[in-house]
Amino acid sequence: MPSPIAHSVVPALGFLWLRRDLKTASFWKQTLFLVGGVALAVLPDADFLPGFVLGDPVRYHRGATHSLLVCLVAALALSPFFRAGLPEIRRGAVTVFCVFCVCSHPLLDCLAADVSEPYGIALFWPLSEKRFLSPISLFPPVHRLPGPAWTFVTSLANMANVRGWVVEVLFSATALLAGVALYRRSDRIFLLASAAGSLFCLALYWLLQMG
């Protein structure tokens, strides 16, 4: 599963998409909007919490909270809170932003290599218990040990996971620089610099993935 690093790229791109609408909002409102989008993007991983309490962090992971239906309902329920205090943003645009932030989570999880149970993502729960995993992996697997919370957390600190986080940083930088290039496409120099940076990060990402 990707870490919050990769999951944050969708709200960051959404923020760029809404940047013109947000220009009249204060810096703090813009910051809270972006931070809120990141929180939405990692919200499905709240299923770790009951597992931590019960001593088995992954017991409920990638199940109901990773269902596209549950994510959609959560996004629609929370979108009015994002709209509050930001009348300058179109209501439909805020709703789309929230839906993309939350629903991108299980889809990105499907694009990660999986080496630990439960394998795959329950995308269509409660209509189906079947778990899905893409044959193409954009992200390396997370290496962790089963067991109680402390064992689980400390096992995440290993070089394989550090390499995976670097891959996610490069993936995110590739996407964000491409988004910035599109946003500032009227400025030719900025466009070329952003596009070149995006291609450079993509090349490094590819080398690490193939290595």
Side-chain angles (χ1 to χ4, degrees), residues 9 11 21 32 37 46 49 54-55 59 75 93 101 143 174 199 202 209:
V9 73
D21 289 343
L32 284 173
L49 298 178
L54 296 173
R59 178 177 295 187
C101 285
H143 297 272
T174 299
L199 290 173
L202 178 61
Q209 281 287 73

Side-chain angles (χ1 to χ4, degrees), residues 5 138-141 143 156-171 204-211:
I5 296 170
L138 295 183
F139 311 103
H143 297 272
L156 295 174
N158 60 73
M159 289 309 298
N161 286 342
V162 170
R163 180 180 178 277
W165 297 331
V166 172
V167 167
E168 291 186 32
V169 168
L170 291 171
F171 172 87
L204 292 179
Y205 164 83
W206 182 261
L207 287 173
L208 269 180
Q209 281 287 73
M210 294 298 102

Side-chain angles (χ1 to χ4, degrees), residues 9-10 13 16 169-182 198 201:
V9 73
V10 173
L13 290 173
L16 277 177
V169 168
L170 291 171
F171 172 87
S172 301
T174 299
L176 286 175
L177 286 171
V180 169
L182 288 174
S198 179
C201 291

